[in-house]
Amino acid sequence: MTKPMEGVRVLEVAQFTYVPSAGAVLADWGADVIKVEHAEKGDAQRGIIKVFSQNVGAEGSTFSPMMDGPNRGKRSIGLALEKPEATRVLHELIRSSDVFLTNFLPSARVKLGITVEEVRAVNPDIIYTVGTGFAHSGPEADKGGYDSTAYWARGGSADSATVPGAEFVTQQPVGAYGDNIGGMTIAGGIAAALFARSRTGVAPTVDISLLGVAAWATQMNVNLALMAGRPLPKRSPLESRASNPLTGLYETSDGRWLSLSMLQPGRYWPEFCAKVGRPELGTDERFDTAEKLMGRAAEVADIIAGIIASRTKDEWVTAFEDMEGQWAVVQNTYELGQDPALVGIGQIADVVDAEGVTRKLVASPVQFDRQAPQLTRGPLFAEHTDEILAELGITGEDLINLKIAGAVT
């Protein structure tokens, strides 16, 4: 299996999902990712997984998608960075690492001795990477943010996803939505920085904000709005049918939805009509060109809506199986986790938890040589402390003294 990051060590001092998910991607790609967790408290995310575990029937298991998803494949060391005794361990880890990865705020980095200047003083060749909420500098550099605030709300997606006249703003559709997109972006930035270092001998810093990732994700509409000099007009999800009846959402007889996205209606109309059992519509002189279809879009959309409403989702899946035109079922997250396209290439991957139970996680979407990554579970809290310290040459009495001082767990 190709592991392009094999031989790269990443030192991660981060919590929750946004930046840790970048470490998970790098681990998928073969990097040795050492996760530093507070010697007593651990990653703050460990403290909130109990509520979510109850919701999915995972009580009593060490496995949690909230931790194992953004932390699979890593090793964990419990290290109290605020204690002077931990500095030696921290510096040894920095010296042996290629990448330093954090989402701690600037004030916390100063307090813990992990600013870019301090880290670079120990290892000038390290790729120093920071994931922020809003910006790496300026008045909001020390302002914390989550994907619900920095990515979804402030980043324009919440407003764009809310239909005109809605009573409430549309909530972020799933947990860690922007976090995981941001994590993949950070991993790409780190890969580019490592490539630059190999070419020039100089290690750049990498800074990525959730707000910046949100702006990039919505760039088409942001750019159009900037050109127009005003917010873009908003439409309901059904309004796209008003200009092209082969685009938009249509409800099935069992309350499911199909999304049609055939941007060339004249090309796809005859085949579509044949697939839905109405071939005569494909040659009807009222609708036999793209111009006529779009000119009578509302009428055609009503015809299509009636046809789609006559059968179930599964019946349409069968009928449209080899159709050239673009369409999709509006799937829920459980269905997505069983999607044959993903399962078939190993992107829904098996992971064996600490109790020996086989679980499943979504692998990162990048594959090398068309091979699926082999995932391992996320670490238990401070699971690899002794192992990592031994690699650094810290054993015996030195290790005992560090534990007595509370510097390591």
Side-chain angles (χ1 to χ4, degrees):
M1 177 188 300
T2 301
K3 295 183 177 181
M5 288 293 173
E6 196 164 31
V8 172
R9 172 170 284 183
V10 178
L11 182 60
E12 178 189 297
V13 183
Q15 301 187 97
F16 299 108
T17 297
Y18 170 40
V19 168
S21 68
V25 172
L26 296 171
D28 281 4
W29 296 349
D32 175 21
V33 183
I34 296 177
K35 181 180 182 67
V36 174
E37 302 192 58
H38 190 274
E40 296 178 3
K41 304 173 185 176
D43 185 327
Q45 187 135 295
R46 294 189 187 275
I48 62 175
I49 62 176
K50 292 182 180 179
V51 174
F52 291 88
S53 295
Q54 291 170 356
N55 292 338
V56 297
E59 301 94 328
S61 172
T62 59
F63 181 83
S64 168
M66 287 189 67
M67 279 302 296
D68 287 82
N71 292 291
R72 72 284 192 92
K74 302 177 186 179
R75 298 190 289 166
S76 171
I77 179 173
L79 188 61
L81 295 177
E82 74 278 8
K83 292 184 178 292
E85 295 86 351
T87 302
R88 173 191 170 190
V89 178
L90 173 65
H91 286 185
E92 289 296 331
L93 287 169
I94 292 171
R95 286 190 190 96
S96 66
S97 297
D98 298 283
V99 178
F100 184 87
L101 180 59
T102 188
N103 60 2
F104 279 37
L105 296 174
S107 55
R109 280 179 261 148
V110 170
K111 179 181 178 181
L112 299 176
I114 54 172
T115 64
V116 62
E117 294 81 10
E118 291 166 303
V119 171
R120 285 275 176 82
V122 177
N123 182 353
D125 296 324
I126 203 164
I127 305 294
Y128 189 90
T129 306
V130 180
T132 60
F134 302 98
H136 58 73
S137 57
E140 295 185 271
D142 211 28
K143 178 180 179 179
Y146 291 100
D147 63 339
S148 59
T149 57
Y151 184 91
W152 186 251
R154 189 161 162 183
S157 291
D159 178 74
S160 297
T162 303
V163 300
E167 186 176 357
F168 301 104
V169 172
T170 300
Q171 294 185 3
Q172 186 168 275
V174 293
Y177 190 65
D179 288 339
N180 287 309
I181 298 170
M184 176 61 73
T185 307
I186 293 172
I190 289 171
L194 287 168
F195 178 71
R197 188 182 72 173
S198 73
R199 293 284 298 274
T200 67
V202 178
T205 59
V206 179
D207 290 281
I208 300 174
S209 73
L210 275 170
L211 182 61
V213 174
W216 177 253
T218 59
Q219 66 149 321
M220 185 179 79
N221 281 34
V222 173
N223 294 340
L224 289 170
L226 290 173
M227 185 174 182
R230 54 176 171 73
L232 298 180
K234 296 169 67 175
R235 301 187 302 175
S236 75
L238 299 181
E239 280 187 274
S240 61
R241 302 182 337 197
S243 58
N244 178 355
L246 287 182
T247 64
L249 299 166
Y250 290 93
E251 189 174 11
T252 66
S253 65
D254 55 346
R256 299 298 302 272
W257 290 86
L258 306 182
S259 174
L260 306 187
S261 187
M262 302 177 212
L263 302 183
Q264 299 170 278
R267 172 181 174 180
Y268 298 116
W269 177 246
E271 183 197 27
F272 176 80
C273 293
K275 291 292 185 182
V276 300
R278 296 289 302 277
E280 75 281 0
L281 291 174
T283 55
D284 191 312
E285 63 180 13
R286 296 174 298 168
F287 315 128
D288 59 2
T289 68
E291 292 74 19
K292 290 178 181 178
L293 282 168
M294 299 179 78
R296 308 181 76 151
E299 179 184 351
V300 178
D302 286 343
I303 293 172
I304 294 175
I307 293 171
I308 298 299
S310 68
R311 299 190 207 176
T312 66
K313 180 265 291 183
D314 289 341
E315 288 175 316
W316 287 122
V317 169
T318 301
F320 291 164
E321 184 175 4
D322 59 350
M323 184 169 65
E324 183 186 10
Q326 297 79 21
W327 71 283
V329 173
V330 177
Q331 294 192 135
N332 58 46
T333 51
Y334 182 68
E335 289 170 324
L336 178 59
Q338 301 179 90
D339 192 296
L342 298 179
V343 173
I345 63 170
Q347 199 177 330
I348 306 299
D350 288 342
V351 181
V352 179
D353 69 16
E355 288 77 41
V357 178
T358 299
R359 308 285 188 172
K360 291 187 182 297
L361 289 175
V362 177
S364 58
V366 178
Q367 294 190 352
F368 303 96
D369 293 329
R370 296 189 172 179
Q371 295 177 327
Q374 301 298 309
L375 305 188
T376 57
R377 62 173 173 82
L380 304 178
F381 168 57
E383 181 179 357
H384 305 95
T385 296
D386 290 0
E387 173 187 305
I388 294 169
L389 292 176
E391 292 174 2
L392 300 176
I394 301 174
T395 59
E397 188 174 344
D398 284 347
L399 176 58
I400 293 172
N401 289 335
L402 285 169
K403 290 190 174 183
I404 290 173
V408 300
T409 298

